[in-house]
Amino acid sequence: MSICRLCNGSMVVGDGNAMFSGECSHSFHFNCIVTYANLGNKDCPVCRAVWKNIPSNGPAPNPYSGPAPYGPPPPPIWNWEFKPQTPSSEPLIFNDDDQLDIQSRNFSPNNNSIIRSLNIKTHTEFPAVPRSSSQENFHILVNLKSHVSDSCRAPIDLVTVLDVSYSMEGRKLQLLKQAMGFVIENLGPSDRLSIITFSTNARRLFPLLLMTDSGKIRALEAVNSLAVISETNIVEGLKKGAKVIEDRAHKNPVCSIMLLSDGQDSFTKTINIKEISRLQIPVHTFGFGADHDPVMLHSIAVGSKGTFSFLEDEGIIQDAFAQRIGGLFSVAVQDVKVHIQSLDPNLCVSQLKAGGYSTDLTGDKKTGSVDIGDLYAGEERDFLVLLNVPVVADGNSNDPMKLVSVRCSYKNPFTKESVTTEAVEVKLRRPEMVANEDMVVSIEVDRQKNRLQAAEAMSNSRAAAERGDLPRARSIINSCMMQMEDTVSMHAHDEVSVCLASDLEGVQQRMQTPSMYAATGRAHLFAGMSSHLTQKAAARGNSTDCIYQTAPMMNMVQLSRASRPNSSPTDSTHKNSQQEGALCRDLIDFTSSLV
């Protein structure tokens, strides 16, 4: 049954009530939309699309010659005076959040139709090492991949922290409203949303409420009330968003903060990373346009285990939001930790290479661990274990050598119940002599070495660029690209390695002049560096396309593109995606010539 999203009443053909369909295809009672328009609104109350044709003032036409069989429609239930909270009217403790619905409270984690799992795969750098040889820094790749076998997902608590300073005036604010409309429309009745705005001060515009039909209408009214004012206070906005999460009386299984800003913080120049990490809330930050502060937003994201996205094109904001909620909708496992244990008394773990994830290695170098955090359905994480492999003096040459065991611990997102996987043993053949095919480096291992090398080059290049030495910054990137050209994975046309080379070239192009680096190069570099270090999808430049993007993320982005007014395959985002794909294909063709 179709429902008018303004009055929450049903719309049945032939019931005597005229209906109105907007250019975005959302439909309403004509009387409801006229009342809505009389308040000065000229956009869709659901998706925020701007309508060219808005119903004029006056009574709704009656589609019948006689009186309507059911009388006039009831007054719209949404037509109250929206009074956004101000700092002076806010409660001291934000524990006025909606109670969770029955489905959220009583979801059974033992439902056999829902299977959450974490698969572990390993690859050794070489299939075999001669018994008489020792190997220092022998690489083992550990690959994790999460799975969810059912479409049922964990409900989320989402707090959006939005910049409404003067610089957001005009098209930026309109696009933000449209993007928030998309988020609200796609949240489920068990999800909860709160809206924080910040300019000179921060305020809780909208409490943490369930996104039922009535909750969505109220949230849309709150979004429609957004107006720009004064300066930018990012830190106060973040603090208030964190307070909503910390003070809530009830808790959904998944929670996150999404913070968007287009400017520099006018009040705080540095941020306490320890304070951010203490919150244990992933904060996904979005730098909007060329004038935002990528250093602060990137620091917030890194300190909270979130992501930083650089939105160079204003029109990409909705797709970037869609990508992020597509991930939050598919959280499979939480608080993932990987445990490494040496299985040979003469073997030591020399190093754990995990990029942006924290590692721990015991003093005797026999055990180690990596903190991964949350994984979305279909997400993968790869890291490298470096070993000092000793000479084998005795034993049967046909028996493989046991190197290390790998196991994972994580939490069920619904119950927070701890789960530990079975240990996977990594073994290595130690014959007297090795064949030629055993001397070929594993493509899987080589790919991850390239990823970490590219991320390190971006980090070192950024340090040189910040010192004002752009020639040195470009040289670091160029050197990394040349080294990658001669790797096994590039010769094999490995898609990930080729796209890494494409990303490095994009970074180098944005370092040609100081003004170019300041305008877009710094933010582009931060977004790429954090994405490759954490293996998380993040929007960058004019596109959401990313080698780490999962199917739920892609599906939500496609839904976003299809929902935009007058969207078509030729929009700027799609064009950019085509261009990036063409660049990757060109690089693949180039590497083919090297074989």
Side-chain angles (χ1 to χ4, degrees):
M1 178 184 295
S2 179
I3 296 177
C4 173
R5 298 301 296 274
L6 286 175
C7 72
N8 212 28
S10 64
M11 296 193 299
V12 180
V13 176
D15 66 357
N17 297 323
M19 290 179 283
F20 172 84
S21 292
E23 298 155 41
C24 56
S25 300
H26 288 115
S27 298
F28 313 89
H29 289 126
F30 190 91
N31 282 335
C32 293
I33 207 66
V34 166
T35 305
Y36 177 78
N38 287 344
L39 296 176
N41 300 304
K42 296 182 180 180
D43 54 6
C44 174
V46 174
C47 68
R48 319 312 302 177
V50 178
W51 289 337
K52 296 179 181 177
N53 299 311
I54 193 78
S56 58
N57 295 351
N62 193 327
Y64 299 97
S65 57
Y70 304 109
I77 63 171
W78 59 272
N79 192 17
W80 63 80
E81 182 183 359
F82 179 75
K83 295 181 178 180
Q85 291 180 325
T86 62
S88 60
S89 65
E90 291 173 351
L92 295 177
I93 301 176
F94 295 151
N95 59 358
D96 54 349
D97 50 299
D98 268 353
Q99 292 189 9
L100 303 180
D101 64 6
I102 296 176
Q103 181 181 358
S104 298
R105 295 197 306 266
N106 297 339
F107 181 87
S108 173
N110 298 318
N111 188 336
N112 292 328
S113 67
I114 301 174
I115 302 174
R116 298 171 183 275
S117 63
L118 190 61
N119 291 350
I120 304 173
K121 290 183 179 180
T122 62
H123 300 271
T124 56
E125 186 173 7
F126 298 99
V129 172
R131 298 170 62 81
S132 59
S133 299
S134 62
Q135 289 274 346
E136 290 189 0
N137 294 329
F138 182 82
H139 287 66
I140 295 174
L141 168 68
V142 177
N143 168 269
L144 311 178
K145 186 171 183 179
S146 60
H147 296 273
V148 178
S149 66
D150 194 89
S151 59
C152 182
R153 66 174 179 85
I156 69 173
D157 284 343
L158 177 63
V159 178
T160 56
V161 181
L162 310 176
D163 190 340
V164 291
S165 58
Y166 280 139
S167 57
M168 288 290 294
E169 189 172 16
R171 183 170 183 265
K172 286 183 180 180
L173 187 64
Q174 183 59 42
L175 288 171
L176 176 59
K177 290 182 179 182
Q178 182 174 309
M180 283 299 300
F182 176 83
V183 170
I184 293 167
E185 178 69 8
N186 285 280
L187 291 173
S190 298
D191 300 318
R192 299 188 301 176
L193 173 71
S194 178
I195 302 172
I196 307 295
T197 61
F198 65 90
S199 52
T200 299
N201 298 306
R203 63 172 176 165
R204 188 185 69 164
L205 185 71
F206 188 74
L208 192 61
L209 301 183
L210 287 166
M211 288 295 96
T212 58
D213 286 342
S214 60
K216 288 184 177 182
I217 292 170
R218 294 178 64 185
L220 289 168
E221 280 296 296
V223 169
N224 192 57
S225 74
L226 292 177
V228 299
I229 182 173
S230 200
E231 298 181 82
T232 305
N233 198 334
I234 298 173
V235 173
E236 283 304 307
L238 178 59
K239 287 181 178 179
K240 189 147 293 188
K243 182 174 172 58
V244 170
I245 295 291
E246 290 182 314
D247 290 356
R248 56 191 170 150
H250 314 280
K251 296 182 179 181
N252 259 328
V254 178
C255 71
S256 185
I257 294 175
M258 286 172 37
L259 185 155
L260 177 138
S261 176
D262 78 328
Q264 305 278 329
D265 195 305
S266 306
F267 302 87
T268 308
K269 298 306 178 186
T270 59
I271 191 162
N272 190 331
I273 299 300
K274 290 184 178 180
E275 182 69 16
I276 297 299
S277 60
R278 181 193 65 81
L279 299 175
Q280 296 186 333
I281 304 166
V283 182
H284 303 286
T285 61
F286 302 82
F288 200 15
D291 298 323
H292 71 278
D293 187 346
V295 177
M296 176 174 284
L297 296 183
H298 175 261
S299 298
I300 292 171
V302 170
S304 65
K305 295 185 178 180
T307 58
F308 166 62
S309 293
F310 166 44
L311 313 182
E312 182 177 10
D313 182 356
E314 297 171 353
I316 200 180
I317 178 174
Q318 181 172 306
D319 291 350
F321 278 15
Q323 180 185 64
R324 190 50 44 212
I325 63 173
L328 294 174
F329 284 170
S330 61
V331 170
V333 290
Q334 294 179 309
D335 298 338
V336 179
K337 191 168 187 177
V338 186
H339 306 271
I340 308 295
Q341 174 71 54
S342 171
L343 297 178
D344 189 288
N346 299 316
L347 184 146
C348 295
V349 179
S350 59
Q351 191 177 356
L352 296 174
K353 287 190 173 183
Y357 297 102
S358 60
T359 63
D360 182 62
L361 195 59
T362 57
D364 61 3
K365 295 190 175 182
K366 297 296 183 182
T367 61
S369 62
V370 182
D371 287 322
I372 300 296
D374 298 351
L375 287 180
Y376 303 149
E379 262 195 328
E380 297 186 56
R381 294 289 183 270
D382 296 282
F383 64 91
L384 297 173
V385 180
L386 278 61
L387 307 174
N388 292 333
V389 179
V391 171
V392 177
D394 51 17
N396 190 332
S397 61
N398 293 324
D399 294 335
M401 179 182 184
K402 292 183 179 181
L403 300 180
V404 296
S405 68
V406 183
R407 62 181 175 86
C408 290
S409 59
Y410 61 89
K411 291 182 180 179
N412 180 291
F414 287 97
T415 65
K416 304 299 182 182
E417 178 187 9
S418 296
V419 179
T420 302
T421 67
E422 292 185 4
V424 174
E425 291 187 349
V426 183
K427 299 178 182 180
L428 177 68
R429 291 191 291 111
R430 302 300 303 271
E432 296 292 345
M433 300 289 292
V434 297
N436 289 334
E437 59 266 23
D438 291 334
M439 301 176 66
V440 178
V441 177
S442 162
I443 289 180
E444 290 81 5
V445 173
D446 191 63
R447 173 193 303 141
Q448 297 309 317
K449 291 171 73 173
N450 281 343
R451 176 182 63 82
L452 291 170
Q453 183 181 7
E456 183 180 3
M458 289 181 183
S459 179
N460 293 336
S461 177
R462 180 245 167 183
E466 293 300 315
R467 296 193 302 267
D469 191 352
L470 288 180
R472 174 60 180 162
R474 294 193 298 270
S475 175
I476 292 172
I477 296 296
N478 189 63
S479 177
C480 180
M481 293 173 65
M482 292 180 65
Q483 292 178 37
M484 286 178 56
E485 284 178 5
D486 199 34
T487 60
V488 170
S489 54
M490 285 292 283
H491 280 276
H493 329 311
D494 175 68
E495 181 181 0
V496 172
S497 294
V498 170
C499 286
L500 285 170
S502 172
D503 283 353
L504 288 169
E505 185 173 345
V507 166
Q508 191 179 50
Q509 290 174 350
R510 294 169 184 262
M511 290 180 162
Q512 299 304 311
T513 65
S515 60
M516 182 183 296
Y517 177 73
T520 64
R522 180 183 288 112
H524 190 86
L525 183 55
F526 267 123
M529 184 173 63
S530 61
S531 181
H532 293 311
L533 282 173
T534 61
Q535 303 164 74
K536 294 180 180 179
R540 194 154 29 124
N542 300 322
S543 176
T544 57
D545 292 342
C546 180
I547 56 178
Y548 309 114
Q549 189 161 242
T550 63
M553 290 180 178
M554 289 187 286
N555 293 339
M556 191 59 67
V557 171
Q558 290 171 358
L559 181 61
S560 168
R561 292 174 181 173
S563 71
R564 289 202 300 267
N566 303 319
S567 63
S568 70
T570 59
D571 65 18
S572 61
T573 302
H574 186 79
K575 283 181 179 178
N576 190 74
S577 173
Q578 288 181 321
Q579 291 168 356
E580 290 189 351
L583 180 55
C584 280
R585 287 191 294 272
D586 289 344
L587 283 166
I588 291 174
D589 293 339
F590 170 70
T591 54
S592 300
S593 66
L594 299 176
V595 179

